[in-house]
Structures are given as structure tokens and as C-alpha cells.
Amino acid sequence: MTQKAKSRQEIAEEFGISAKTLSRWILKEKLQIPQGLISPKDQELIYEKFGKAISK
């Protein structure tokens, strides 16, 4: 499980996309992700929906 909160930019970089594209994906899938840093719990929702990104 993920240990710390991350920014949208950090998560987007894991997927090799921009933060704006990540935000579009989240909106399209109607995920309820609050603004600001993304908690470990919400990160798991993102990874479950879009697959586990490759960490750098």
C-alpha cells in the first residue's frame, strides 16, 4: 500500500502523462478525489481504476 500523500503531478509522472490528463481521467471516471494532495486511500482508487503505474 502507498505510504504518503502525493500530488497529482507525482501520480501523473508515474503514468507518463500530464497532471491535466490525469485530472481528465479522474473526471471521466467520476472518481471522487478531493483537491490538493491525494491520500493513500484515494491513490489506491486511482491505481485500481487505471492500473498500477510504473514508479520511478
Side-chain angles (χ1 to χ4, degrees):
M1 179 163 221
T2 306
Q3 300 295 332
K4 67 176 184 80
K6 294 182 182 177
S7 69
R8 279 174 169 66
Q9 183 64 42
E10 288 174 300
I11 293 174
E13 287 174 3
E14 292 175 7
F15 284 103
I17 60 173
S18 70
K20 188 167 188 160
T21 298
L22 178 63
S23 292
R24 287 184 188 136
W25 287 6
I26 290 169
L27 285 173
K28 182 178 178 184
E29 295 298 326
K30 298 180 173 80
L31 297 178
Q32 299 297 314
I33 308 293
Q35 295 296 318
L37 290 176
I38 299 174
S39 71
K41 179 182 165 195
D42 289 333
Q43 289 174 49
E44 289 302 317
L45 291 175
I46 291 169
Y47 296 139
E48 285 173 20
K49 191 66 169 179
F50 306 119
K52 183 66 175 163
I54 298 171
S55 297
K56 294 181 179 180

